[in-house]
Amino acid sequence: MSVNPPRFTPSDQSLRGVRVLSVALNLPGPAALMRLADMGAKCTKLEPLPPAGSAKGSTTDPMGLYAPHAYAQLHAGVKVVQADLKSDKGQAQLQKLLAQTDVLLTSFRPSALNKLGLAWHDLHAKFPAMNMVSIVGSAGDGAEIPG
């Protein structure tokens, strides 16, 4: 006798009420975020600020630049906000978002997370109920290998 794993259906709202903040760029993060939104999670994505002079609503996610149609599809139902996380203003915005977050989704190397004030031990101390999902290519030291 075989047992089939549960399948996702469009009516699955098992994550209703869960607040997800993503700082994950490119394809894996937005794909995961789309799935979470489809399951009822309230999803917000924080992207870097676009360069000065960019058109209003411009994205800085590389996928939004090389595949705008896919970017739009993956971000349907996701609130996208922008901030410079290397500035005090951007860090204040990040902290405000984190205070309202149940799950943080990242795709940065651990060293980059540390530089941005997003190291797990610091986050967990400040937001003990928050969970973090890190999309990296390898575990351990391999997590520092870009791309």
Side-chain angles (χ1 to χ4, degrees):
M1 181 170 131
S2 68
V3 176
N4 292 326
R7 293 182 155 252
F8 169 77
T9 63
S11 63
D12 180 359
Q13 293 293 294
S14 58
L15 295 181
R16 183 173 299 281
V18 175
R19 300 161 302 177
V20 178
L21 174 62
S22 175
V23 292
L25 302 174
N26 258 324
L27 181 59
L33 196 62
M34 177 186 72
R35 180 75 180 257
L36 296 170
D38 286 346
M39 294 176 72
K42 180 181 177 186
C43 297
T44 302
K45 181 177 176 196
L46 179 59
E47 295 182 356
L49 290 173
S54 296
K56 184 176 180 169
S58 294
T59 180
T60 52
D61 187 315
M63 186 177 54
L65 302 174
Y66 64 77
H69 179 74
Y71 174 89
Q73 186 175 11
L74 289 172
H75 290 81
V78 173
K79 179 181 179 182
V80 177
V81 296
Q82 296 176 325
D84 176 4
L85 296 183
K86 296 176 184 174
S87 72
D88 291 341
K89 182 179 176 184
Q91 279 293 316
Q93 185 176 356
L94 172 63
Q95 294 303 310
K96 184 177 177 184
L97 290 167
L98 288 170
Q100 303 167 24
T101 296
D102 298 309
V103 178
L104 175 64
L105 179 64
T106 75
S107 62
F108 291 112
R109 296 172 298 186
S111 60
L113 290 173
N114 288 338
K115 289 177 187 175
L116 295 173
L118 295 172
W120 172 242
H121 55 45
D122 297 332
L123 288 174
H124 187 61
K126 189 167 184 178
F127 307 105
M130 186 173 63
N131 295 284
M132 183 169 162
V133 176
S134 295
I135 301 170
V136 293
S138 300
D141 293 338
E144 286 296 332
I145 299 170

